[in-house]
Amino acid sequence: MSYDYLFKIVLVGDCGVGKTQIRNRYTLDEFNPQSKSTIGVEFAFKTVNIDGNEVKGQIWDTSGEERYRAITSAYYRGSVGAVLVYDVTKPKTFEALENWASQLRQYADENIVVCVVGNKIDLPTREVSTAEAERFARGNGFFYMETSALDGTGVESAFRQVMKKIFEIVDSRQQARKKTVRAGSIGKTRSIKLTDADDVAEPSKFSSCCKQM
Amino acid sequence: METEDQTNDDIPENLKRLVRIMLRAFYSFEHSLILDILIRNRCIKEEEILTLCKFDKKQLRAILTTMKMEKILKSKTLSEPTPGAEPDENGVVPKSKFVYYFINYRTTINIIKFKLHKMREKIESQERDNSNRASFICPMCKNTYTDLQVDQLLDPMSGKLFCSYCRSEVEEDASAGPKTDSRTLLAKFNTQIAPIYDALRETENIEFTPTMTDPNPSFVQYLHSDKDDDVFVGSDGRVTRKTESSQPKDGDGWRSGASRPGFADDINIIIDHEENVKARNKSCEGTTILAGQFYGCQKDEDYLADFETGNTFKPVRRDDEIEDIDDLLRNTEQPAIVKPKPVNPRARDPIEESSEDEFIDSDALTVQGKEYSYEEISEDPSLVEQMTEAEQNAYQEYMTQQMAYIPDEEKNSSSNDPLSNTGNTWDEYFKDNELLSQIEKDARRLYPDISFFSEPAKYPAVEFINESYKTGMLKMRISKRNVTSSQSAKARNGAIVMKESKNGDEDDDLECKVEKNWEVVERLLFVYAKLNQGTKYIQGMNEIIGPIYFVLSQDPDSKWSRYAEADTFYCFTQVMSEIRDNFIQSMDESTSGIHALMAQTFTLLKKHDYSVWQVLNDQEIRPQFFLFRWMTLLLSQEMRIPDTIRLWDSLFSDSKRFEFLKYVCVAILTLIREDLISGDFGFNMKLLQNTSDVLPDVLIIIRKADELRQKDLRKNSGPHINLLSKAQLANSHFAR
């Protein structure tokens, strides 16, 4: 399966908010409450079609553990999208978002597309309101989604929205440049950088078919 | 009042002098200052050192850590009544943990000898290299040739010597030839180090007593009297022994009382320069003055003799129990507990050793206050029973202390209000509950692919704990915290809610009655976190403790398995004492931290399989992306549990445990090299993160790792196999 674009997206948030579950739901359509805790980073792919382009999402599911944060920051490099997850039943995980956001600002691309995701909305014991979360997201220039990894609500569309947004940024830039330099490079694989003028960074690296997907 | 001399009289003056000379010669002023304090005050708290030297806390920490890594310092943690704290109504004074530092003289002597030996070796090899220097040089291309290469240069027609590259005539290298420099270097070394040699010779007949190797805390007089108006540090540094009343209580005896009595043995290795030099010159050309003279390392001396003379290995039995050299050179900071080692470093085939005996080190052990040697214990299993019982009791005490602790709700005075979260007991209680719910989450999802951890525990705590401990007590603590969630959750569909909320389903009552194996693990981790405030609980520890508990609790002999929980606790503590740095963020950048480990492994990979290294490098697959988990969890998440257990046997039975881990990681990478080389970034990342399906048999991995290491050892050692690698080599033979 070939693809036209490759977007690196990081999943961050406190321990136990369900990052791994969201990833599994999105890439494998699975939910397994007994999954192991993530140490370091785990990795998954999913290719979707956006406006007729095959876009491959490279999802980096990071560990929420405080101790591993210094190591986790290494995973942010080169990511163009981020999904900031919290648990709607645990206000503490929502409060921690501020921290995660500053972490992103520090290590990731400055134009990174961020989606705040309130997970576990299937639970009746919700303690963080939608309005509150939306306010936070808007204040930081992020957009907000609610999901349930358990029944799958919102997961697909959260990722889709992130990718679409990235795609729009990239596409608009490309439209602007089309006439000048790399016209006619359609169908070529590229990994995307949002700030750099050079968004055809490493075409050869990802050009072969991905065996795994 | 006791004076300095009385306090320190167990450390001979000449030994102290040796350490002082060593410090002044090889360490910075700050290092020797702090060590001087520790020479004066045999064993004192970190806080006391801080007050005495008035260093910045960070600086002091750094120095203490380096000295600890150099194995000159040792530390032990004792819990003592919190200063200034009032006893509660039961008369129990709240305890805090204090880290005591002391100089490990026994190891220090060996370290000094070892380092001197290494220095000498280096100078000698330099000398040798110099005598092998090139003796011809090409004036054009500056290529050099030794005498032995002359045949390649000789042009038979002209009888002249021509450079094989540029064909110009070579000249004799005037700068070559024996360099006098290195000889003078050796002579210089001998004169300069003479005072240390002298001091070493003076210390040769010292007998080490248990108090010398594991001293009791010293009492620093001037820190405790007139604290306010006289903080001047007198040069005489008056100290006294700690008074009896402040000694650890009987209940703590398992920590302080069971010192390593093996040190009390007579050690009669005699340093005899002349003899030794001669003897060694016969078999190996270098003069290894100090090699083999380490205190109490008879067995390694045998290895040494074995290598040098080519004789077969014949262990020389001694009456006294003797420690390993690599034990000495490794950090021996294990707390003195009844079962000091998770695994015997000299384990034979680890698979065959399923009995508990493997956990007993060759040191003499203390069983209920009496000393027994390893032989005695292995001949009389009832002793082990007594021992495990003692250990069980100690653990039990901890458990009840940490678990059953719920602030008394009835005596809620205004200063102890659960709603005011400022530094009262409730504050700690709530923090603990948070910790607990985190541990619970991770313990619950331990090894989901096997049913063991969700099965009822064979020996639940309720059987050996007094009534004050109720099964499910931990769960109750968490459920109290989530009281709102549990109440409202009941209304919902139980099957779904069960997964997310711990106490929302009808099975809850039942769950409380039967203790599951994961709950035992949860309790273990909680007790560990409470007792080790420095490390606490970090995700991933569950993956380390899991296999240990899995093995111990399934011992077919109920004599052992009923003590599995306490045994696991001690074994886990031991393992953690060696890999704890992986779990401490501030250690990341240190030489023993995880970054260093990963970098070293990548360097090894580069050396042993350049193409794989290049692939990873080109695809920008950083060690953090996969090695981080591999190494932090000792590969336990990368393979299935039986394989993990087999691998750990090899890791633990190796004297340089985590050196071997690096080789195992490299071995895995080389075993999947074909896939890695043909794969792209995504494929390789997935492969590296999900190795369990593609890995060959664990024995193949271990064999490969061993093979790689042997190769390195051979290469490094050259004609003069150094001491350490010999010990390694011998050990890896055992590991096979």
Side-chain angles (χ1 to χ4, degrees):
Chain A
M1 201 196 308
S2 66
Y3 51 89
D4 305 318
Y5 294 95
L6 182 97
F7 295 156
K8 176 174 169 181
I9 295 167
V10 286
L11 259 169
V12 293
D14 270 13
C15 282
V17 295
K19 296 178 293 298
T20 303
Q21 300 308 338
I22 290 182
R23 180 208 10 139
N24 282 343
R25 171 62 74 193
Y26 180 61
T27 58
L28 309 167
D29 202 19
E30 266 178 22
F31 180 80
N32 175 15
Q34 300 279 295
S35 72
K36 292 178 180 183
S37 44
T38 310
I39 308 294
V41 71
E42 275 165 29
F43 196 74
F45 282 121
K46 175 146 176 164
T47 309
V48 290
N49 192 299
I50 294 175
D51 298 349
N53 289 287
E54 288 294 317
V55 177
K56 186 166 183 172
Q58 193 185 70
I59 292 146
W60 294 61
D61 170 20
T62 66
S63 167
E65 167 74 47
E66 173 79 35
R67 179 258 171 279
Y68 300 132
R69 215 157 284 185
I71 308 239
T72 316
S73 55
Y75 309 136
Y76 296 158
R77 220 173 67 95
S79 54
V80 289
V83 176
L84 220 56
V85 189
Y86 76 94
D87 177 349
V88 293
T89 66
K90 297 209 174 79
K92 218 171 185 157
T93 64
F94 176 69
E95 285 153 27
L97 289 184
E98 194 57 68
N99 242 326
W100 286 112
S102 71
Q103 185 105 356
L104 279 178
R105 273 190 283 268
Q106 192 179 345
Y107 295 105
D109 190 302
E110 61 181 280
N111 291 337
I112 189 165
V113 175
V114 182
C115 175
V116 177
V117 164
N119 191 29
K120 307 198 187 178
I121 51 164
D122 54 282
L123 289 182
T125 54
R126 181 175 185 133
E127 291 188 27
V128 182
S129 71
T130 308
E132 203 177 341
E134 263 176 349
R135 204 175 318 125
F136 167 80
R138 218 173 308 118
N140 285 279
F142 308 153
F143 58 96
Y144 179 68
M145 296 285 289
E146 287 188 349
T147 62
S148 160
L150 187 131
D151 55 33
T153 317
V155 174
E156 180 89 38
S157 67
F159 279 99
R160 205 181 170 79
Q161 208 167 329
V162 173
M163 295 223 245
K164 210 171 153 85
K165 194 86 172 271
I166 302 169
F167 181 79
E168 276 163 18
I169 296 177
V170 172
D171 199 47
S172 66
R173 198 179 299 158
Q174 225 163 48
Q175 293 297 339
R177 212 190 304 158
K178 214 161 193 173
K179 297 154 201 156
T180 55
V181 204
R182 292 190 184 93
S185 65
I186 302 156
K188 245 190 196 169
T189 308
R190 60 206 69 180
S191 79
I192 302 303
K193 284 183 182 168
L194 293 184
T195 38
D196 280 7
D198 177 16
D199 60 354
V200 197
E202 301 134 292
S204 58
K205 198 168 89 185
F206 297 108
S207 59
S208 62
C209 300
C210 176
K211 287 184 182 178
Q212 202 68 358
M213 296 305 297
Chain B
M1 190 201 293
E2 286 171 301
T3 63
E4 178 191 350
D5 286 317
Q6 278 168 303
T7 312
N8 287 346
D9 63 358
D10 57 341
I11 302 296
E13 205 48 55
N14 48 20
L15 185 51
K16 287 195 249 174
R17 203 170 70 86
L18 169 68
V19 176
R20 285 199 173 108
I21 296 175
M22 182 267 300
L23 286 168
R24 304 261 181 317
F26 295 108
Y27 290 89
S28 77
F29 181 69
E30 289 82 2
H31 285 79
S32 42
L33 185 73
I34 285 167
L35 267 285
D36 256 357
I37 293 175
L38 282 162
I39 290 173
R40 287 217 178 86
N41 310 303
R42 193 60 191 94
C43 173
I44 60 174
K45 279 182 233 176
E46 193 187 316
E47 292 77 11
E48 288 171 335
I49 305 175
L50 196 66
T51 327
L52 286 172
C53 66
K54 303 206 168 41
F55 278 10
D56 180 54
K57 192 165 181 176
K58 265 191 191 150
Q59 189 189 5
L60 176 68
R61 234 342 125 69
I63 291 173
L64 288 176
T65 318
T66 46
M67 293 312 270
K68 232 170 106 173
M69 282 197 297
E70 302 253 315
K71 290 158 186 78
I72 289 167
L73 278 190
K74 264 177 107 168
S75 68
K76 60 177 175 185
T77 316
L78 294 181
S79 83
E80 280 178 11
T82 313
E86 296 292 317
D88 65 18
E89 39 138 38
N90 299 326
V92 180
V93 184
K95 288 188 171 180
S96 309
K97 303 195 90 52
F98 291 101
V99 186
Y100 280 87
Y101 285 92
F102 54 94
I103 298 173
N104 189 359
Y105 285 97
R106 196 171 121 105
T107 315
T108 307
I109 292 187
N110 289 334
I111 297 281
I112 296 172
K113 288 180 180 173
F114 181 75
K115 288 198 170 168
L116 289 180
H117 167 63
K118 285 304 230 186
M119 284 158 75
R120 207 192 161 89
E121 211 175 48
K122 198 171 172 191
I123 295 172
E124 277 166 359
S125 69
Q126 215 174 333
E127 186 184 358
R128 240 190 341 271
D129 290 349
N130 278 336
S131 59
N132 288 339
R133 276 173 61 128
S135 48
F136 293 96
I137 186 163
C138 169
M140 298 300 288
C141 61
K142 299 289 173 211
N143 229 324
T144 55
Y145 301 95
T146 65
D147 292 341
L148 296 174
Q149 288 170 302
V150 170
D151 62 322
Q152 298 160 17
L153 312 179
L154 185 70
D155 176 17
M157 302 310 288
S158 61
K160 285 176 178 166
L161 302 174
F162 291 106
C163 174
S164 49
Y165 290 103
C166 58
R167 308 306 307 166
S168 57
E169 198 175 336
V170 297
E171 293 169 355
E172 261 192 66
D173 189 356
S175 63
K179 216 177 172 191
T180 49
D181 209 3
S182 70
R183 299 244 167 101
T184 46
L185 214 69
L186 200 59
K188 212 166 157 189
F189 173 79
N190 279 336
T191 35
Q192 283 180 347
I193 302 298
I196 297 187
Y197 278 137
D198 289 343
L200 267 176
R201 221 169 288 134
E202 281 173 32
T203 59
E204 71 198 42
N205 285 324
I206 291 173
E207 290 176 18
F208 286 91
T209 58
T211 44
M212 285 167 82
T213 45
D214 191 6
N216 290 324
S218 318
F219 183 73
V220 188
Q221 186 64 36
Y222 48 79
L223 284 184
H224 296 264
S225 64
D226 299 328
K227 216 178 206 164
D228 300 328
D229 46 9
D230 184 21
V231 281
F232 174 68
V233 182
S235 61
D236 58 357
R238 291 170 143 194
V239 282
T240 96
R241 251 182 218 290
K242 212 169 172 226
T243 47
E244 274 311 305
S245 60
S246 54
Q247 291 286 339
K249 288 192 298 185
D250 279 349
D252 293 326
W254 63 278
R255 274 180 294 134
S256 54
S259 63
R260 315 184 100 191
F263 297 172
D265 308 325
D266 282 344
I267 292 154
N268 40 21
I269 298 168
I270 288 154
I271 300 177
D272 188 336
H273 272 246
E274 303 280 298
E275 286 289 323
N276 233 309
V277 172
K278 269 186 229 154
R280 280 180 200 286
N281 273 341
K282 270 188 228 157
S283 47
C284 90
E285 33 186 298
T287 47
T288 48
I289 294 196
L290 295 151
Q293 290 176 355
F294 296 84
Y295 279 122
C297 52
Q298 179 66 40
K299 283 173 189 163
D300 281 88
E301 261 185 279
D302 288 334
Y303 293 151
L304 196 75
D306 181 27
F307 272 89
E308 282 171 1
T309 59
N311 286 342
T312 43
F313 173 58
K314 288 187 210 82
V316 180
R317 262 269 165 250
R318 280 192 162 207
D319 293 339
D320 20 35
E321 290 293 330
I322 300 154
E323 241 198 13
D324 245 49
I325 178 175
D326 27 71
D327 256 10
L328 284 164
L329 296 170
R330 209 186 318 126
N331 197 345
T332 53
E333 57 159 324
Q334 288 102 349
I337 58 169
V338 192
K339 277 182 167 182
K341 285 264 172 90
V343 182
N344 183 347
R346 278 185 301 279
R348 293 154 316 261
D349 188 350
I351 274 185
E352 287 167 17
E353 285 202 334
S354 54
S355 93
E356 198 84 354
D357 285 0
E358 76 182 274
F359 296 107
I360 299 162
D361 196 24
S362 51
D363 286 350
L365 299 168
T366 310
V367 179
Q368 303 194 334
K370 272 176 83 184
E371 276 176 24
Y372 294 94
S373 74
Y374 174 56
E375 280 83 3
E376 278 176 278
I377 287 171
S378 54
E379 277 162 23
D380 184 2
S382 69
L383 283 173
V384 189
E385 242 166 285
Q386 285 180 41
M387 185 163 64
T388 32
E389 240 168 71
E391 162 209 74
Q392 176 73 56
N393 292 340
Y395 175 70
Q396 208 171 311
E397 190 194 316
Y398 266 120
M399 192 159 90
T400 30
Q401 199 179 317
Q402 303 297 343
M403 295 290 146
Y405 171 69
I406 295 177
D408 196 343
E409 289 175 55
E410 282 166 28
K411 73 167 210 318
N412 276 346
S413 62
S414 57
S415 67
N416 198 13
D417 179 2
L419 295 179
S420 84
N421 50 0
T422 45
N424 60 22
T425 47
W426 281 102
D427 191 28
E428 198 188 335
Y429 177 71
F430 289 133
K431 272 198 190 129
D432 282 356
N433 282 355
E434 220 155 89
L435 173 71
L436 206 51
S437 68
Q438 152 100 66
I439 294 176
E440 195 239 37
K441 205 180 300 164
D442 291 342
R444 208 178 249 274
R445 49 184 179 171
L446 198 57
Y447 286 96
D449 45 340
I450 55 169
S451 61
F452 171 78
F453 287 98
S454 51
E455 282 166 6
K458 243 203 266 170
Y459 295 97
V462 72
E463 278 196 15
F464 55 80
I465 291 282
N466 51 29
E467 303 79 53
S468 73
Y469 182 80
K470 285 181 245 136
T471 313
M473 186 174 266
L474 288 181
K475 199 174 294 172
M476 276 160 56
R477 281 180 67 164
I478 304 174
S479 47
K480 262 191 189 167
R481 189 174 148 268
N482 294 340
V483 64
T484 41
S485 24
S486 76
Q487 277 163 354
S488 36
K490 276 212 167 104
R492 296 251 315 187
N493 175 349
I496 288 178
V497 177
M498 188 183 87
K499 288 168 181 157
E500 292 295 333
S501 163
K502 287 101 216 158
N503 34 17
D505 57 307
E506 294 92 60
D507 294 343
D508 196 31
D509 294 337
L510 194 106
E511 245 183 50
C512 269
K513 278 180 198 131
V514 187
E515 187 167 72
K516 309 271 176 61
N517 279 318
W518 70 259
E519 287 172 89
V520 178
V521 173
E522 175 191 13
R523 186 167 52 230
L524 281 164
L525 286 169
F526 182 67
V527 173
Y528 179 83
K530 288 292 286 174
L531 292 178
N532 294 275
Q533 293 288 340
T535 17
K536 283 209 154 174
Y537 171 75
I538 304 287
Q539 267 189 346
M541 286 183 186
N542 54 336
E543 306 282 345
I544 302 286
I545 202 168
I548 301 177
Y549 178 69
F550 181 82
V551 168
L552 294 181
S553 68
Q554 296 197 107
D555 197 302
D557 191 342
S558 67
K559 204 159 65 194
W560 308 127
S561 55
R562 68 175 283 116
Y563 295 117
E565 184 171 345
D567 285 350
T568 307
F569 179 76
Y570 292 112
C571 290
F572 175 66
T573 309
Q574 290 299 312
V575 175
M576 282 306 293
S577 74
E578 297 194 35
I579 58 167
R580 154 178 67 202
D581 290 355
N582 294 349
F583 290 96
I584 304 174
Q585 193 172 331
S586 53
M587 296 299 287
D588 276 356
E589 305 298 330
S590 78
T591 46
S592 59
I594 187 76
H595 282 307
L597 271 182
M598 293 191 296
Q600 286 157 9
T601 310
F602 253 51
T603 315
L604 267 187
L605 175 68
K606 187 177 178 180
K607 188 161 137 198
H608 287 286
D609 199 333
Y610 188 82
S611 13
V612 171
W613 176 82
Q614 197 165 30
V615 167
L616 297 184
N617 205 41
D618 290 351
Q619 298 184 350
E620 295 189 16
I621 297 178
R622 308 248 172 268
Q624 290 100 311
F625 298 174
F626 65 101
L627 263 186
F628 180 73
R629 191 175 78 195
W630 288 18
M631 302 196 91
T632 309
L633 304 183
L634 307 179
L635 290 159
S636 63
Q637 255 191 21
E638 317 309 319
M639 36 184 98
R640 280 173 277 266
I641 197 162
D643 291 345
T644 307
I645 292 166
R646 175 62 190 89
L647 176 68
W648 284 16
D649 263 336
S650 290
L651 288 181
F652 293 160
S653 61
D654 187 70
S655 62
K656 301 200 78 196
R657 274 157 220 180
F658 302 106
E659 186 72 30
F660 193 54
L661 178 64
K662 292 176 215 160
Y663 283 98
V664 175
C665 292
V666 174
I668 291 176
L669 291 169
T670 54
L671 287 170
I672 54 172
R673 69 190 304 272
E674 304 305 326
D675 291 331
L676 286 173
I677 288 172
S678 57
D680 63 0
F681 175 84
F683 174 80
N684 285 346
M685 279 296 291
K686 285 214 136 179
L687 184 67
L688 293 169
Q689 290 191 346
N690 305 285
T691 46
S692 65
D693 303 325
V694 290
L695 279 183
D697 190 82
V698 66
L699 286 174
I700 298 177
I701 300 172
I702 294 169
R703 214 158 286 149
K704 178 83 194 175
D706 193 41
E707 190 186 300
L708 294 174
R709 182 165 63 170
Q710 300 278 359
K711 210 155 113 194
D712 272 4
L713 288 179
R714 248 171 279 141
K715 220 179 273 169
N716 292 344
S717 43
H720 293 267
I721 302 172
N722 68 42
L723 261 180
L724 255 185
S725 50
K726 230 178 275 186
Q728 275 174 17
L729 212 63
N731 248 305
S732 60
H733 284 310
F734 281 119
R736 280 190 144 180

